[in-house]
Amino acid sequence: MSQHYYFNEDLAKFGNIGDFQKPLADKFFSWYGEVFKDGALSAKEKSLIALAVAHAVQCPYCIDAYSADAFEKGFDEAQMMEAVHVAAAIRGGASLVHGVQMMNKVNEISM
Amino acid sequence: MKSLKALQHALSDSQYQLDVLEHSEGQKAFFDALKEIGLYPLQPAAFEIFQVNVGKMCNQTCKHCHVDAGPDRKEIMSRDTMSECLGILRDHPEFETVDLTGGAPEMNPNFRWFVEEIKKLDRKIIVRCNLTIIVANKKYHDLPDFFKSNQVEVVSSLPFYSKSRTDRQRGDGVFEDSIQALQMLNAVGYGTENSGLLLNLVYNPSGAFLPADQSQLEQDFKSALFKDFGVMFNHLFTITNMPISRYLEFLLVSGNYEHYMQKLISAFNPAAAKNVMCRNTLSIGWDGFIYDCDFNQMLDLKVESPVVHIRNFNKEALIHRNIVIGQHCFGCTAGSGSSCGGATV
């Protein structure tokens, strides 16, 4: 029998986290709902941001949810892939910029 | 691509479609959803729109088509049946709008005559034009002028403002032909400011999902089509794909059927249910039978009335009928609602 850490049907059970701690779950979902409404940014723009962040944090549930949501909201495949590249660039840059720290340390201990 | 009927596909049988739709385990029933909001049985509110499906013949075979229309479909309305429709319109001015659909309605050889006769009765005329028919053959190139001279409101399908997403749903080359047709319509004044010539576009999701917010998509379409092609139009109507015919086939084959139905059911909106188009519309089939809507027509669900054909038309009998409903009706009541005129709430 194959074993997984992730099951796609679990995404639909997200609301069940309230079974163990309802007041906190209610606060989270209320806040979450507000975050994704039209505001200074449109709900559509927020969907693309969420898609990029989903890749940055490597959350399979979030990738499923926001791939569908962004496509549904009218982004095309090229726009969505560019958003993923933005996430990847930030992740890659985040590693590389620490190269400066590495260089600082090397310079510090070098003669 | 051939129609399901030409392929002798099981889903070309409306009873088979109903068996799939009505016997899905664990699904909430549409009539229960209506009962909970006090709207069952669903009844007409008024007669305003007389929708006539003049035939299933079409130059396209779109993947989502609920009519299963295509070049191989030969069912088209005869001139005699059109004359019967005109008689009803003459006697019933409350039908302020005549909505002509298909297939590609323009392929019916009596289409232009029918439009001109309706115009003489001074009704608002809507033609659901798939756009590519305008450039499909020389004999259709003057359709924009014909529409203009009869002050027809043109409602045209365009799945998306990009080639890839449009062609995937409607076939290779459809996007470029559609843009060319839109430019031809713009050239005679359609969709341009103060012309009075209405050109509205229809967006159907290109997959197993619901349409996004209509006003946001309209802005996106307007800016992209104008920037890239100089194309203008008036409004964008978002229409939810109905789990019928070729779209139902797509849902079943792709494994999306249960998830999509659940999505429609979860998104049930009481306000949309109050505004469903079957409450102010009658739908006439190519052979003169009467239906509550074009979707019921394709499922062969005739009106629940002693009057099921236009030859026996009786307004009183029809206005007091119960509208025939089924699981597919969740498509019109999900989210912002869906009708031939787009979102309803």
Side-chain angles (χ1 to χ4, degrees), chain B residues 227-248:
Chain B
K227 180 170 77 71
D228 295 339
F229 308 104
V231 163
M232 290 177 284
F233 66 96
N234 297 98
H235 298 292
L236 181 80
F237 299 152
T238 56
I239 297 187
T240 303
N241 285 319
M242 290 291 141
I244 293 176
S245 193
R246 290 215 279 270
Y247 187 68
L248 178 58

Side-chain angles (χ1 to χ4, degrees), chain B residues 255-271:
Chain B
N256 279 300
Y257 173 70
E258 283 175 24
H259 179 68
Y260 186 73
M261 288 305 296
Q262 213 47 56
K263 200 165 185 169
L264 293 181
I265 293 166
S266 304
F268 178 77
N269 181 347

Side-chain angles (χ1 to χ4, degrees), chain B residues 32-331:
Chain B
D32 279 336
L34 287 186
K35 272 180 193 168
E36 285 169 13
I37 57 167
L39 214 57
Y40 182 81
L42 189 65
Q43 290 180 318
F47 282 150
E48 292 170 10
I49 300 170
F50 195 75
Q51 187 173 59
V52 186
N53 192 313
V54 298
K56 300 184 180 188
M57 193 184 287
C58 191
N59 59 317
Q60 293 183 178
T61 40
C62 302
K63 282 184 188 166
H64 71 298
C65 183
H66 70 278
V67 180
D68 192 28
D72 57 60
R73 299 302 297 261
K74 306 301 177 203
E75 304 95 321
I76 53 167
M77 184 174 275
S78 69
R79 195 155 169 149
D80 285 347
T81 305
M82 288 178 176
S83 296
E84 288 182 287
C85 289
L86 291 168
I88 293 166
L89 290 171
R90 203 168 289 123
D91 296 341
H92 298 87
E94 60 271 28
F95 288 112
E96 294 169 354
T97 300
V98 182
D99 185 342
L100 300 178
T101 187
E106 302 89 344
M107 290 179 80
N108 185 311
N110 293 303
F111 168 76
R112 295 190 191 215
W113 171 80
F114 194 37
V115 168
E116 284 165 347
E117 292 300 310
I118 299 166
K119 186 67 194 159
K120 286 177 193 167
L121 298 173
D122 197 25
R123 303 303 162 84
K124 175 181 168 184
I125 305 171
I126 295 172
V127 171
R128 296 189 181 270
C129 173
N130 71 15
L131 291 176
T132 62
I133 191 68
I134 294 174
V135 296
N137 185 300
K138 215 173 174 180
K139 67 180 176 181
Y140 299 121
H141 288 182
D142 65 337
L143 275 170
D145 287 315
F146 174 77
F147 291 148
K148 181 182 180 178
S149 59
N150 288 282
Q151 295 288 296
V152 166
E153 178 181 326
V154 178
V155 177
S156 294
S157 305
L158 189 71
F160 208 58
Y161 50 79
S162 72
K163 179 175 162 55
S164 62
R165 217 151 140 175
T166 299
D167 286 2
R168 208 180 309 152
Q169 183 180 112
R170 306 192 80 113
D172 287 343
V174 165
F175 183 73
E176 282 163 1
D177 286 350
S178 300
I179 294 298
Q180 192 187 338
L182 285 169
Q183 288 166 337
M184 289 165 73
L185 285 162
N186 281 168
V188 300
Y190 269 99
T192 58
E193 219 172 317
N194 302 322
S195 70
L197 297 169
L198 284 178
L199 170 59
N200 296 321
L201 297 186
V202 169
Y203 164 90
N204 291 90
S206 53
F209 52 94
L210 304 184
D213 175 68
Q214 186 168 273
S215 57
Q216 171 74 57
L217 270 179
E218 183 178 292
Q219 285 174 34
D220 294 345
F221 268 67
K222 279 191 170 171
S223 66
L225 290 177
F226 187 74
K227 180 170 77 71
D228 295 339
F229 308 104
V231 163
M232 290 177 284
F233 66 96
N234 297 98
H235 298 292
L236 181 80
F237 299 152
T238 56
I239 297 187
T240 303
N241 285 319
M242 290 291 141
I244 293 176
S245 193
R246 290 215 279 270
Y247 187 68
L248 178 58
E249 191 220 5
F250 155 74
L251 291 175
L252 291 168
V253 169
S254 64
N256 279 300
Y257 173 70
E258 283 175 24
H259 179 68
Y260 186 73
M261 288 305 296
Q262 213 47 56
K263 200 165 185 169
L264 293 181
I265 293 166
S266 304
F268 178 77
N269 181 347
K274 285 192 182 76
N275 296 330
V276 280
M277 61 183 167
C278 50
R279 302 193 77 193
N280 70 347
T281 303
L282 271 187
S283 164
I284 314 300
W286 67 275
D287 49 3
F289 283 98
I290 306 170
Y291 303 86
D292 301 293
C293 68
D294 205 50
F295 304 115
N296 278 5
Q297 185 179 142
M298 298 316 148
L299 288 168
D300 200 24
L301 296 169
K302 295 181 178 69
V303 279
E304 203 174 278
S305 164
V307 179
V308 294
H309 195 276
I310 53 169
R311 75 172 76 93
N312 312 116
F313 192 87
N314 180 307
K315 184 193 163 186
E316 282 309 303
L318 286 164
I319 198 79
H320 292 111
R321 77 193 194 279
N322 291 337
I323 292 167
V324 179
I325 56 167
Q327 291 303 88
H328 60 291
C329 302
F330 275 115

Side-chain angles (χ1 to χ4, degrees), chain A residues 5 11 16 34 48 50 54-56 58 69 71 78 82 87 98 103:
Chain A
Y5 284 104
L11 176 57
N16 298 355
E34 283 298 316
L48 197 65
H55 283 78
Q58 292 183 306
D69 190 66
F71 197 65
E82 278 189 29
H98 285 82
M103 291 161 70

Side-chain angles (χ1 to χ4, degrees), chain A residues 8-25:
Chain A
N8 52 14
E9 61 268 26
D10 283 352
L11 176 57
K13 299 176 193 165
F14 189 15
N16 298 355
I17 62 162
D19 292 351
F20 281 12
Q21 234 305 356
K22 192 165 183 329
L24 290 177

